[in-house]
Amino acid sequence: MTEEKDGGSGAMRRGPADLVWSTVALQLAGLAFCGVVALIAWPFGWLPDSQYLALMSTMFAAQPAGELYRAGPPRRLAAVAALFTLMTVALLIAATAEWAFPVMAEHDLGFLAGFLVGTPVGVAVLAWFYNRGNVA
């Protein structure tokens, strides 16, 4: 069962798997948006860099985490754990990708890959903490 009633507020809380899949889908939508921007801007000599792609995909993917965060307590420890997880996974994947494929380091593609993988993992940690319900 992936949805459950939330206390007395009548709001439905989605499970971690649903949040991760919706985050990944929204990331893909953000990347598609960046692709359209790149196709429009390419004739004018501008192509988006990896930081722009990571920023746009994260902005698109932030909706499920934002809805969960606004759902109510617990907040502080869950948000800190999610952000710490996001940054840890992003840095580990970026370092591994740039070590394994040195060409990626020139274009910061390891950073982009790390952020794309780290965002759903961070949302999963946020949902896990919220479903536990014992976070301060």
Side-chain angles (χ1 to χ4, degrees), residues 36-72:
V36 169
V37 169
L39 286 175
I40 293 170
W42 176 48
F44 302 106
W46 181 79
L47 289 175
D49 58 352
S50 62
Q51 286 85 9
Y52 173 78
L53 295 173
L55 175 69
M56 290 306 295
S57 65
T58 303
M59 285 175 52
F60 271 78
Q63 181 192 11
E67 288 176 1
L68 183 62
Y69 186 79
R70 285 189 295 271

Side-chain angles (χ1 to χ4, degrees), residues 10 15 17 22 25 30 34 43-45 65 73-74 76 89-91 98 102 107-108 110 116:
S22 60
C34 291
F44 302 106
R76 292 182 300 254
V89 170
L91 289 174
E98 290 179 0
H107 304 289
D108 290 330
L116 290 176

Side-chain angles (χ1 to χ4, degrees), residues 73-95:
R75 292 185 177 176
R76 292 182 300 254
L77 185 56
V80 169
L83 289 174
F84 184 71
T85 303
L86 165 67
M87 295 312 298
T88 302
V89 170
L91 289 174
L92 286 174
I93 290 178

Side-chain angles (χ1 to χ4, degrees), residues 3 12-13 24 30 35 38 50 54 56 65 67 69-70 95 98-99 103 109 116 127 132-133:
E3 292 187 359
M12 297 297 277
R13 212 176 351 170
V24 169
S50 62
M56 290 306 295
E67 288 176 1
Y69 186 79
R70 285 189 295 271
E98 290 179 0
W99 171 77
V103 174
L109 295 177
L116 290 176
R132 284 194 52 195

